[in-house]
Amino acid sequence: MDETTELAKGAAKALFELYHVVTHDLLSSELSEAIDTWNIVARARNEGRLFSKIGWPRDPDIKEQVKRLHLLLKVKDSSANIPKNLEARRRLEFFTNSLFMHMPAAKPVSEMMPFCVFTPYYSETVLYSTHELNKENEDGISTIFYLQKIFPDEWDNFLERIKQDNSGDVELQENSADALELRFWVSYRGQTLARTVRGMMYYRRALMLQSYLENRSLGVGNPQASLSTEGFELSREARAQADIKFTYVVSCQIYGQQKQKKDKEAADIALLLQRNEALRVAFIHVEESAGSDGKIVKSFYSKLVKADIQGKDQEIYSIKLPGDPKLGEGKPENQNHAIVFTRGEAVQTIDMNQDNYLEEAMKMRNLLEEFKQDHGLRPPTILGVREHVFTGSVSSLAWFMSNQETSFVTLGQRVLAYPLKVRMHYGHPDVFDRIFHISRGGISKASRVINISEDIYAGFNSTLRQGNITHHEYIQVGKGRDVGLNQIALFEGKVAGGNGEQVLSRDVYRVGQLFDFFRMLSFYFTTVGFYVCTMMTVLTIYVFLYGRAYLAFSGLDQGISRRSMLLGNTAFNAVLNAQFLVQIGIFTAVPMIMGFILELGLLQAIFSFITMQLQLCSVFFTFSLGTRTHYFGRTILHGGAKYRATGRGFVVQHIKFADNYRLYSRSHFVKALEVALLLIVYIAYGYTQGGAVSYILLTLSSWFLVISWLFAPYIFNPSGFEWQKTVEDFDDWINWLLYKGGVGVKGDNSWESWWDEEQSHIQTLRGRILETILSLRFFLFQYGIVYKLHLTGKNTSFSLYGFSWVVLVGLVMIFKIFTFNSKKSNFQLILRFIQGVTALSLITALCLVVIFTDLSVADLFASFLAFVATGWAIISLAVAWKRIVRTLGLWDSVREFARMYDAGMGMIIFAPIAMLSWFPFVSTFQSRLLFNQAFSRGLEISIILAGNKANVQP
C-alpha cells in the first residue's frame, strides 16, 4: 500500500474522530437524541463511504504544514525543552502573549511605512577592550570574571561557539577572531553602543526575513522552493527591500575628533560600520582656513558616512552649517544636527543604553500601522512603546529601580494615554511621525539649561500643535537603568532638576492655558505635578515638626490637651496627636504595587511586595523622596539644572564613605539631622498624654525618615559593614577633610574645593534673599530653648535672648583661640599656654555654674543644641552673602566653622557604621539583603563580593 493511501486513511480517521468529539461531546446533550444519525455515520464508516472523496494534498509545502499542525496539536513539550535561561523564558512568554493583544494587521514589507532609527552618542563606551575586560577593581574583580558569574549559562554557550572548554580561564590571543568575539560578548551584556546597534539592526534582519518569506510564498524566484528561511540574508531582493524601508543613523557628534586623535572609540565605531552595512554615522567636521584678514576661520560641516568595501569611511552627504552647532544642551544638539539624514515617514528615538529583540522587531510593521488608525479626534503623532528594564536581575536596588520604572512605563503610561489623554513623550523607544515633527520644530529643543529634559519637550511640542500621543504594549524595547544607589540618585537628581526647569518654562504655561479643566487636572499627575506633590510632602513634614516644636516651646500643647480633655473634645485632641504616616515614602510605591497586581496577579504581587519590604524597599523609597525634593526645590529656588553623568559600569563595588558624604551631605544628611533636632526638642519639652509610648508612636515615622536619609547610602553599599573597608574609608575621609584646596584641586580630593563647589548654585540676588529667609528658621531653636532652661526659670525678658548671643560670641572667640595657627616658631609656646589656660578656665566656669546656679547638665546639652542650630544658620547666611563676608575678612573663619560642622556630621554618621562593622554577621546579612535576587538565581555573588579572583578556586 503506497504512502498516499495510508495518509488518506489516516486523514479520514482523524476527521471522523474530530466530528465525533464535536457533535457528541459539545453539541448534543444526550446521545439518544441523535441515535439514528450516529447509526448512519457508523454504517457509512464501516462501508468505507465516509470521507471517501477526500483529496490528500500532494504539494510538499502544504504536506509540511500539515505535519507541523499535527505536531502542534499532538506533541507536548517536556520540561527538558523549556529554556533554562530566564531571559529567554521572559522573551518567549511576552512574545506569545503579545500575539493575542489587539494590534493592526501588518502590510507586506513592500507596502509598509518606511522608518528610521536615530541614536545620539557622545563619548560613552562603544566596545570593551581586552584591557578593560581583564582590569581588576580594588576588590580584585575583573569585568570578565563578573560576567562569568552573573551569566554562567550564556558563558558556557559562548565557549561552545568558539570551541573552547570550560576547564579554567580562557586565554585568547590579543588580535584573534575569538578575542574580538569575546569583546562583543561582554559588550552585549553592558550598556554600550555595540549592544544598541546590534539590537536596532534586528529591524533590518526582521524585514529581510519577512520580505524573503513573502517573495517565496508569491513564487518570486523559484516557485518550487519550500518556505525554508535558510539563506534569506543572501537574497538580494530581501536586502534591497529592507534597505528601502529601514535606515539607522547614529549621531556621533565628536567622531571626527576621535578619528583625528586615533581614539579607540573611533576604531570601535569603524568596526561597527564594517559589521553592519546598513549603519550610518553622522558627525560634525571642523575645517580651519585663513580668512581675508589673516585670522583663522572655522567652518562646520555635518557629515554622514558608511563603510565601503575596503572597510573605510565613505562619505555620503556633507552639509555646511551656519556656525558652531554646539550652542545648547549636548544631547538635543547632537540630535538636531543629524536629523536631516533620517529617512522615511517615521523615526524611532533610541538612547545609548537600549536594546532590542528579533521577535519584537517582527511586530514593527504592525506598530507603524497605528499612524493610520483612529485614536480620537486627532491622528497620532507619537506612538508610545513599552520598555523592558533589563538591569534589574542582580541587586535589590536594581530590582527596586526596575520595578519602579516598569510601573511607570506600563501602568502609568497606559492610564495617561487612555483615558486621561495627557501622555507626553516619556520613553526613547517612542516612534515619531517624522513629517509632522520636522515641519514643526524638530524632535528636540536644545536651549541651554531649560531644555535639559529634551524628551518631554518633544511631547509638549506635539501636544501644543494639536498632535496625539498614544501608548502600545504589544511591542517592547529593552532599556538599561542604573543599578547603584549613587547612579540612581544622580539620575533622579537630573530628572528632578529637569522638572524644576519645566515649571519655569513657557511650554508648561501654554499647556496650562490651553487644556480644558479635566485634562488640566490629569496633567497635574504627568510631569511636574508628581515632583510638586513630592516636595509638598517633605515641606509638610517640616511644617508639622516645626509646629510641634513651637507648641512644645510655648507650652500650648499641654494647655490644648488639658482643655480638650476638660471639654470632652476628643476629636481635637486626636488631631493634635495624629501620627504622620505619609512621610515614610511608601505611598510612592503604590503604582508599583498596582502594576504587580495587574501583571503578576494578586498572590504573586503580595509575595513580591513582602519580599521587597524585607529587602528594605521602604528605606530606598523614603531616601528617593529626599533626592527628588532636594534637586527639584533647588532648581525652583535657583535654577541652573545640569546634566549629571551617572556612569554605566556593571561591576559591583564598594563606595567609599567620603564619596557618599560628598554626594548626600546637603541633600539628605543636613535635612535628616535637622529633623532629628526637632524630634529631640519635642521629646525634651513637648507634652504627650500617654508618656513615652505615645511619643514613640507619634514620632516613629519621623525617626524612620531620619534613619533612612542618614544611613541608606551605607545600608545599600556593597561591603559597607566590612571592618577593613571601614578603616580604609575613615582614613580616606579624614585625608579629604583636612586636605587644603587650591587652584586645580577638585572636590573629590579636598573638602575646601568641594565646599566651594556646593555653593555654586547661589548666583542671583533673588536666590540669596530666599536662602536668607529659609535660614531664619534655625534661630527658632535658640529663642525657644533659652526660655526653657532651668537657669532662667519663668523670666521672659528679651534681655535673656540677647545674653545668649553674648555667650555665643564668647564661644566663637574660644573656638578661634583653639583653631588659631601661627607659622612663627617662637609664638607656638605662648599659643599653647593660652589655649591650655582657656580650656581649664572654661571647664572650671562650667562646673561652677552647674554647682552654684540652677543650670543643669540637661540645660548644657540643650544649649549646645541651640547653638548648633544657630551656628548653622550663621554659616548659611554667610554662604548666601559670600561677597560681603569675604570683604569683611571673615570668610576663613566661616570656612573653619563649616569644616567643623562637616566633621561633626561625619562622625555622627560614621560611629554606628564602625560599631556594626565589629560584628562579622552584619556584613553577611547585608550581602544577603542587597543581593537576594542573585542568591535566589543561584549566582555566585558571594565569590564576587569576596574579591581577589586569583584566590578563588573553582
Side-chain angles (χ1 to χ4, degrees):
M1 192 175 294
D2 59 0
E3 181 183 3
T4 303
T5 307
E6 288 291 331
L7 288 172
K9 286 187 175 182
K13 182 179 179 182
L15 286 173
F16 174 75
E17 291 178 351
L18 179 62
Y19 178 74
H20 179 276
V21 170
V22 171
T23 55
H24 178 59
D25 295 339
L26 299 179
L27 302 181
S28 179
S29 58
E30 290 188 18
L31 183 62
S32 58
E33 296 178 1
I35 189 65
D36 297 333
T37 303
W38 283 111
N39 290 332
I40 295 172
V41 170
R43 190 164 49 251
R45 180 194 175 202
N46 295 332
E47 297 174 359
R49 293 184 289 107
L50 186 64
F51 307 122
S52 59
K53 296 183 179 181
I54 186 172
W56 185 256
R58 299 180 179 274
D59 190 337
D61 291 339
I62 300 180
K63 187 186 296 185
E64 199 68 31
Q65 296 297 327
V66 172
K67 290 182 178 179
R68 266 186 86 190
L69 178 62
H70 176 263
L71 288 174
L72 290 173
L73 294 176
K74 300 283 287 187
V75 178
K76 183 179 180 181
D77 287 337
S78 65
S79 58
N81 297 328
I82 299 176
K84 297 180 180 179
N85 188 279
L86 297 179
E87 176 66 8
R89 293 188 198 177
R90 184 200 64 79
R91 286 172 55 177
L92 287 172
E93 180 181 0
F94 178 82
F95 179 72
T96 52
N97 288 336
S98 68
L99 297 180
F100 295 94
M101 298 181 186
H102 176 69
M103 69 176 79
K107 288 187 176 180
V109 176
S110 59
E111 300 177 17
M112 68 173 286
M113 179 184 296
F115 73 103
C116 176
V117 176
F118 192 36
T119 299
Y121 163 85
Y122 188 67
S123 60
E124 296 88 348
T125 302
V126 179
L127 198 66
Y128 284 104
S129 65
T130 305
H131 173 70
E132 290 172 328
L133 299 187
N134 299 314
K135 184 180 178 181
E136 297 180 349
N137 64 2
E138 60 182 12
D139 296 326
I141 300 300
S142 64
T143 301
I144 184 64
F145 178 74
Y146 172 82
L147 292 177
Q148 288 174 6
K149 301 304 177 184
I150 296 298
F151 305 105
D153 54 339
E154 297 178 28
W155 175 249
D156 292 338
N157 295 338
F158 171 73
L159 292 180
E160 183 179 346
R161 286 199 301 273
I162 65 173
K163 297 179 175 57
Q164 291 271 355
D165 59 358
N166 196 12
S167 58
D169 293 340
V170 178
E171 296 183 1
L172 303 173
Q173 296 183 2
E174 182 75 21
N175 298 319
S176 64
D178 290 344
L180 180 61
E181 292 304 317
L182 176 62
R183 292 176 58 197
F184 273 101
W185 184 87
V186 173
S187 301
Y188 289 158
R189 280 146 190 84
Q191 298 183 42
T192 61
L193 181 62
R195 179 174 189 166
T196 305
V197 170
R198 179 198 65 167
M200 297 307 120
M201 294 307 293
Y202 280 140
Y203 284 129
R204 182 172 184 265
R205 188 179 178 87
L207 291 177
M208 289 167 56
L209 176 59
Q210 290 168 331
S211 176
Y212 180 80
L213 292 176
E214 288 171 0
N215 291 338
R216 301 301 283 252
S217 63
L218 295 174
V220 178
N222 183 8
Q224 299 300 324
S226 65
L227 290 177
S228 172
T229 59
E230 294 182 4
F232 75 94
E233 293 177 320
L234 302 177
S235 171
R236 291 185 178 182
E237 295 83 0
R239 292 156 65 96
Q241 196 67 256
D243 290 337
I244 290 173
K245 297 299 181 179
F246 168 77
T247 55
Y248 185 25
V249 177
V250 178
S251 179
C252 303
Q253 194 173 25
I254 58 174
Y255 177 56
Q257 301 175 23
Q258 291 175 338
K259 284 200 301 182
Q260 291 178 355
K261 297 177 183 178
K262 297 183 178 180
D263 292 340
K264 69 178 186 66
E265 287 82 5
D268 293 337
I269 292 174
L271 181 60
L272 293 180
L273 284 169
Q274 296 170 24
R275 292 172 69 107
N276 302 276
E277 62 177 350
L279 178 63
R280 304 291 183 263
V281 170
F283 65 95
I284 296 173
H285 176 67
V286 183
E287 290 184 0
E288 295 182 352
S289 59
S292 58
D293 55 354
K295 295 183 179 180
I296 297 177
V297 178
K298 289 185 177 180
S299 299
F300 297 89
Y301 296 86
S302 185
K303 294 181 178 289
L304 184 71
V305 297
K306 69 174 183 178
D308 59 13
I309 300 176
Q310 287 78 25
K312 297 181 180 180
D313 291 349
Q314 178 184 349
E315 184 176 307
I316 305 173
Y317 296 109
S318 179
I319 301 174
K320 187 173 183 179
L321 303 174
D324 190 353
K326 301 177 186 177
L327 299 177
E329 290 295 331
K331 182 179 177 182
E333 290 288 22
N334 198 2
Q335 291 178 321
N336 287 338
H337 90 90
I339 189 69
V340 67
F341 298 129
T342 59
R343 293 292 179 265
E345 299 177 36
V347 58
Q348 185 178 30
T349 53
I350 293 292
D351 257 356
M352 242 290 300
N353 59 339
Q354 296 195 233
D355 195 6
N356 199 13
Y357 316 107
L358 179 62
E359 68 276 8
E360 298 303 313
M362 297 284 187
K363 295 177 283 189
M364 191 63 182
R365 294 184 301 166
N366 305 81
L367 180 67
L368 293 174
E369 289 300 311
E370 295 284 357
F371 280 117
K372 303 173 183 177
Q373 302 294 311
D374 182 14
H375 291 281
L377 295 177
R378 298 166 182 168
T381 52
I382 300 178
L383 304 179
V385 178
R386 173 184 173 130
E387 294 179 20
H388 165 69
V389 181
F390 55 75
T391 54
S393 60
V394 179
S395 68
S396 59
L397 281 179
W399 192 40
F400 300 157
M401 191 66 176
S402 173
N403 291 332
Q404 188 180 35
E405 284 294 313
T406 301
S407 67
F408 176 70
V409 300
T410 54
L411 180 65
Q413 303 308 305
R414 182 189 310 161
V415 174
L416 293 178
Y418 184 80
L420 300 183
K421 301 297 286 185
V422 290
R423 184 187 189 273
M424 304 300 173
H425 167 49
Y426 283 97
H428 281 285
D430 288 2
V431 181
F432 288 75
D433 184 335
R434 181 174 172 273
I435 307 302
F436 178 92
H437 287 87
I438 284 290
S439 59
R440 290 167 177 81
I443 63 173
S444 294
K445 290 188 176 182
S447 298
R448 190 171 294 277
V449 179
I450 194 72
N451 293 133
I452 188 172
S453 300
E454 87 292 339
D455 49 0
I456 194 65
Y457 284 96
F460 291 151
N461 188 39
S462 180
T463 302
L464 288 171
R465 284 157 178 80
Q466 300 190 3
N468 188 10
I469 305 175
T470 61
H471 179 65
H472 310 279
E473 296 191 30
Y474 54 79
I475 185 172
Q476 67 178 3
V477 177
K479 179 79 170 180
R481 280 298 181 200
D482 310 294
V483 296
L485 186 64
N486 291 8
Q487 295 175 333
I488 293 172
L490 287 172
F491 170 75
E492 291 187 336
K494 178 185 70 174
V495 175
N499 276 268
E501 294 293 347
Q502 292 172 39
V503 175
L504 311 175
S505 68
R506 292 190 184 96
D507 299 75
V508 171
Y509 171 77
R510 288 167 179 160
V511 168
Q513 292 292 313
L514 298 176
F515 269 173
D516 58 71
F517 178 74
F518 296 102
R519 288 192 77 189
M520 193 61 224
L521 288 178
S522 303
F523 177 70
Y524 176 78
F525 295 98
T526 60
T527 55
V528 297
F530 173 75
Y531 288 88
V532 170
C533 191
T534 301
M535 187 174 68
M536 289 177 63
T537 301
V538 177
L539 290 179
T540 308
I541 298 170
Y542 277 88
V543 173
F544 175 77
L545 293 178
Y546 269 101
R548 279 289 185 183
Y550 170 76
L551 293 176
F553 285 139
S554 62
L556 286 175
D557 55 349
Q558 184 176 1
I560 292 173
S561 297
R562 290 178 177 176
R563 184 175 179 83
S564 62
M565 289 175 60
L566 292 174
L567 297 176
N569 191 352
T570 57
F572 188 78
N573 196 26
V575 170
L576 185 67
N577 297 316
Q579 184 182 7
F580 203 68
L581 281 173
V582 73
Q583 66 200 46
I584 64 175
I586 194 61
F587 290 101
T588 59
V590 171
M592 184 182 63
I593 298 170
M594 294 302 299
F596 274 153
I597 295 174
L598 292 176
E599 297 287 332
L600 305 176
L602 180 61
L603 188 61
Q604 184 63 35
I606 293 173
F607 287 149
S608 297
F609 181 70
I610 293 175
T611 302
M612 292 179 66
Q613 290 299 323
L614 294 176
Q615 292 184 280
L616 304 182
C617 76
S618 295
V619 175
F620 169 75
F621 288 123
T622 306
F623 188 81
S624 297
L625 192 75
T627 304
R628 300 189 191 104
T629 301
H630 172 75
Y631 289 103
F632 182 74
R634 174 180 284 190
T635 306
I636 293 293
L637 291 177
H638 305 287
K642 58 183 179 180
Y643 182 85
R644 300 174 186 273
T646 60
R648 295 188 175 118
F650 45 1
V651 175
V652 177
Q653 61 180 358
H654 175 77
I655 306 299
K656 294 182 179 180
F657 179 87
D659 294 339
N660 282 328
Y661 187 85
R662 284 192 294 270
L663 184 58
Y664 304 115
S665 174
R666 297 302 183 259
S667 61
H668 293 82
F669 298 161
V670 170
K671 296 178 176 61
L673 290 174
E674 181 183 354
V675 173
L677 189 60
L678 287 166
L679 293 172
I680 292 172
V681 166
Y682 176 63
I683 193 175
Y685 302 112
Y687 172 78
T688 306
Q689 183 178 352
V693 176
S694 297
Y695 171 80
I696 293 173
L697 293 176
L698 287 173
T699 60
L700 181 63
S701 58
S702 300
W703 281 114
F704 181 82
L705 177 107
V706 171
I707 294 172
S708 299
W709 283 10
L710 284 179
F711 298 106
Y714 306 100
I715 293 174
F716 294 113
N717 186 16
S719 303
F721 297 99
E722 188 177 324
W723 176 250
Q724 185 59 38
K725 283 187 168 48
T726 302
V727 173
E728 295 172 358
D729 285 355
F730 183 77
D731 292 338
D732 176 73
W733 180 66
I734 292 298
N735 293 333
W736 170 77
L737 190 66
L738 301 179
Y739 190 81
K740 297 291 183 181
V743 179
V745 179
K746 296 182 179 180
D748 294 346
N749 302 320
S750 168
W751 174 87
E752 293 182 6
S753 300
W754 168 80
W755 195 56
D756 291 334
E757 293 172 0
E758 281 294 316
Q759 305 157 18
S760 60
H761 63 280
I762 305 177
Q763 300 287 343
T764 63
L765 178 63
R766 170 183 170 274
R768 292 186 174 91
I769 294 174
L770 291 174
E771 285 291 333
T772 302
I773 295 173
L774 291 175
S775 299
L776 294 178
R777 71 185 188 274
F778 292 105
F779 293 115
L780 174 67
F781 292 97
Q782 181 185 355
Y783 183 80
I785 290 175
V786 163
Y787 296 100
K788 283 291 186 177
L789 298 177
H790 293 88
L791 178 65
T792 59
K794 297 183 178 181
N795 188 354
T796 57
S797 172
F798 190 76
S799 60
L800 286 176
Y801 184 62
F803 181 75
S804 68
W805 277 96
V806 175
V807 175
L808 179 62
V809 172
L811 292 175
V812 171
M813 297 302 296
I814 293 173
F815 174 78
K816 287 297 295 179
I817 292 174
F818 280 104
T819 58
F820 183 79
N821 188 17
S822 176
K823 296 182 179 179
K824 297 181 179 179
S825 58
N826 56 356
F827 188 68
Q828 290 291 329
L829 183 60
I830 299 174
L831 180 62
R832 295 292 181 266
F833 176 75
I834 295 174
Q835 291 175 346
V837 171
T838 304
L840 293 175
S841 301
L842 180 63
I843 295 172
T844 303
L846 289 175
C847 293
L848 292 176
V849 170
V850 171
I851 293 172
F852 294 104
T853 65
D854 293 333
L855 188 71
S856 64
V857 177
D859 288 340
L860 290 176
F861 180 71
S863 302
F864 171 76
L865 293 181
F867 290 142
V868 164
T870 304
W872 185 255
I874 294 173
I875 292 174
S876 300
L877 292 174
V879 168
W881 303 98
K882 180 178 179 180
R883 293 182 180 177
I884 298 176
V885 175
R886 192 183 291 274
T887 303
L888 296 175
L890 300 175
W891 184 248
D892 291 339
S893 299
V894 171
R895 184 169 57 192
E896 290 306 316
F897 271 110
R899 192 197 303 267
M900 180 184 68
Y901 269 84
D902 278 310
M905 285 191 293
M907 292 304 298
I908 291 173
I909 299 169
F910 194 85
I913 297 173
M915 292 179 61
L916 292 174
S917 299
W918 287 343
F919 305 100
F921 68 87
V922 175
S923 181
T924 304
F925 174 76
Q926 186 209 24
S927 299
R928 188 76 193 201
L929 181 81
L930 281 178
F931 302 102
N932 181 66
Q933 297 298 311
F935 281 116
S936 63
R937 292 171 57 206
L939 302 182
E940 301 179 68
I941 198 72
S942 56
I943 298 178
I944 297 174
L945 293 174
N948 196 354
K949 172 183 135 180
N951 295 331
V952 178
Q953 298 297 329

mmCIF file of all heavy atoms in Angstrom, residues 519-531:
data_model
loop_
_atom_site.group_PDB
_atom_site.id
_atom_site.type_symbol
_atom_site.label_atom_id
_atom_site.label_comp_id
_atom_site.label_asym_id
_atom_site.label_seq_id
_atom_site.Cartn_x
_atom_site.Cartn_y
_atom_site.Cartn_z
ATOM 1 N N ARG A 519 -8.610 67.871 31.557
ATOM 2 C CA ARG A 519 -7.269 67.479 31.110
ATOM 3 C C ARG A 519 -6.202 68.182 31.936
ATOM 4 O O ARG A 519 -5.118 67.654 32.139
ATOM 5 C CB ARG A 519 -7.087 67.797 29.629
ATOM 6 C CG ARG A 519 -7.860 66.877 28.695
ATOM 7 C CD ARG A 519 -7.429 67.050 27.269
ATOM 8 N NE ARG A 519 -6.169 66.407 26.995
ATOM 9 C CZ ARG A 519 -5.484 66.558 25.859
ATOM 10 N NH1 ARG A 519 -5.955 67.350 24.914
ATOM 11 N NH2 ARG A 519 -4.354 65.930 25.667
ATOM 12 N N MET A 520 -6.494 69.392 32.410
ATOM 13 C CA MET A 520 -5.535 70.086 33.255
ATOM 14 C C MET A 520 -5.374 69.379 34.594
ATOM 15 O O MET A 520 -4.268 69.253 35.123
ATOM 16 C CB MET A 520 -5.997 71.531 33.471
ATOM 17 C CG MET A 520 -4.926 72.417 34.081
ATOM 18 S SD MET A 520 -3.473 72.536 33.021
ATOM 19 C CE MET A 520 -2.165 72.341 34.221
ATOM 20 N N LEU A 521 -6.491 68.886 35.144
ATOM 21 C CA LEU A 521 -6.401 68.091 36.367
ATOM 22 C C LEU A 521 -5.562 66.841 36.139
ATOM 23 O O LEU A 521 -4.762 66.442 36.994
ATOM 24 C CB LEU A 521 -7.803 67.711 36.846
ATOM 25 C CG LEU A 521 -8.672 68.827 37.442
ATOM 26 C CD1 LEU A 521 -10.033 68.272 37.824
ATOM 27 C CD2 LEU A 521 -7.998 69.441 38.654
ATOM 28 N N SER A 522 -5.753 66.195 34.994
ATOM 29 C CA SER A 522 -4.976 64.995 34.681
ATOM 30 C C SER A 522 -3.511 65.332 34.455
ATOM 31 O O SER A 522 -2.618 64.571 34.827
ATOM 32 C CB SER A 522 -5.558 64.313 33.437
ATOM 33 O OG SER A 522 -6.914 63.991 33.630
ATOM 34 N N PHE A 523 -3.270 66.488 33.825
ATOM 35 C CA PHE A 523 -1.892 66.881 33.533
ATOM 36 C C PHE A 523 -1.079 67.062 34.801
ATOM 37 O O PHE A 523 0.139 66.908 34.791
ATOM 38 C CB PHE A 523 -1.903 68.185 32.722
ATOM 39 C CG PHE A 523 -0.527 68.724 32.438
ATOM 40 C CD1 PHE A 523 0.319 68.078 31.552
ATOM 41 C CD2 PHE A 523 -0.083 69.870 33.060
ATOM 42 C CE1 PHE A 523 1.581 68.569 31.291
ATOM 43 C CE2 PHE A 523 1.178 70.368 32.808
ATOM 44 C CZ PHE A 523 2.011 69.719 31.924
ATOM 45 N N TYR A 524 -1.736 67.366 35.902
ATOM 46 C CA TYR A 524 -1.014 67.540 37.171
ATOM 47 C C TYR A 524 -0.242 66.283 37.554
ATOM 48 O O TYR A 524 0.800 66.350 38.195
ATOM 49 C CB TYR A 524 -2.007 67.911 38.279
ATOM 50 C CG TYR A 524 -1.365 68.025 39.639
ATOM 51 C CD1 TYR A 524 -0.629 69.145 39.983
ATOM 52 C CD2 TYR A 524 -1.480 67.009 40.578
ATOM 53 C CE1 TYR A 524 -0.034 69.252 41.228
ATOM 54 C CE2 TYR A 524 -0.890 67.098 41.819
ATOM 55 C CZ TYR A 524 -0.173 68.224 42.143
ATOM 56 O OH TYR A 524 0.430 68.324 43.361
ATOM 57 N N PHE A 525 -0.714 65.134 37.145
ATOM 58 C CA PHE A 525 -0.076 63.876 37.540
ATOM 59 C C PHE A 525 0.918 63.374 36.497
ATOM 60 O O PHE A 525 1.418 62.260 36.622
ATOM 61 C CB PHE A 525 -1.145 62.805 37.787
ATOM 62 C CG PHE A 525 -2.032 63.117 38.937
ATOM 63 C CD1 PHE A 525 -3.272 63.688 38.740
ATOM 64 C CD2 PHE A 525 -1.622 62.873 40.232
ATOM 65 C CE1 PHE A 525 -4.105 63.992 39.799
ATOM 66 C CE2 PHE A 525 -2.436 63.176 41.305
ATOM 67 C CZ PHE A 525 -3.683 63.736 41.093
ATOM 68 N N THR A 526 1.228 64.144 35.485
ATOM 69 C CA THR A 526 2.089 63.632 34.423
ATOM 70 C C THR A 526 3.546 63.989 34.648
ATOM 71 O O THR A 526 4.388 63.129 34.748
ATOM 72 C CB THR A 526 1.632 64.180 33.066
ATOM 73 O OG1 THR A 526 1.693 65.604 33.085
ATOM 74 C CG2 THR A 526 0.218 63.757 32.764
ATOM 75 N N THR A 527 3.860 65.238 34.748
ATOM 76 C CA THR A 527 5.277 65.626 34.802
ATOM 77 C C THR A 527 5.583 66.343 36.105
ATOM 78 O O THR A 527 5.954 65.737 37.089
ATOM 79 C CB THR A 527 5.622 66.526 33.606
ATOM 80 O OG1 THR A 527 4.734 67.647 33.596
ATOM 81 C CG2 THR A 527 5.472 65.795 32.303
ATOM 82 N N VAL A 528 5.408 67.653 36.098
ATOM 83 C CA VAL A 528 5.808 68.457 37.241
ATOM 84 C C VAL A 528 4.917 68.203 38.452
ATOM 85 O O VAL A 528 5.340 68.429 39.590
ATOM 86 C CB VAL A 528 5.792 69.955 36.880
ATOM 87 C CG1 VAL A 528 6.798 70.243 35.798
ATOM 88 C CG2 VAL A 528 4.396 70.396 36.427
ATOM 89 N N GLY A 529 3.684 67.740 38.221
ATOM 90 C CA GLY A 529 2.782 67.513 39.340
ATOM 91 C C GLY A 529 3.317 66.509 40.336
ATOM 92 O O GLY A 529 3.178 66.680 41.552
ATOM 93 N N PHE A 530 3.941 65.444 39.830
ATOM 94 C CA PHE A 530 4.497 64.424 40.720
ATOM 95 C C PHE A 530 5.569 65.021 41.629
ATOM 96 O O PHE A 530 5.621 64.738 42.835
ATOM 97 C CB PHE A 530 5.066 63.286 39.877
ATOM 98 C CG PHE A 530 5.823 62.258 40.685
ATOM 99 C CD1 PHE A 530 5.145 61.343 41.467
ATOM 100 C CD2 PHE A 530 7.209 62.219 40.661
ATOM 101 C CE1 PHE A 530 5.836 60.397 42.202
ATOM 102 C CE2 PHE A 530 7.906 61.278 41.401
ATOM 103 C CZ PHE A 530 7.220 60.372 42.174
ATOM 104 N N TYR A 531 6.409 65.875 41.066
ATOM 105 C CA TYR A 531 7.505 66.450 41.857
ATOM 106 C C TYR A 531 7.006 67.545 42.784
ATOM 107 O O TYR A 531 7.538 67.722 43.893
ATOM 108 C CB TYR A 531 8.598 66.973 40.921
ATOM 109 C CG TYR A 531 9.359 65.858 40.266
ATOM 110 C CD1 TYR A 531 8.929 65.300 39.066
ATOM 111 C CD2 TYR A 531 10.476 65.311 40.872
ATOM 112 C CE1 TYR A 531 9.612 64.247 38.487
ATOM 113 C CE2 TYR A 531 11.169 64.259 40.301
ATOM 114 C CZ TYR A 531 10.731 63.734 39.113
ATOM 115 O OH TYR A 531 11.413 62.681 38.543
#
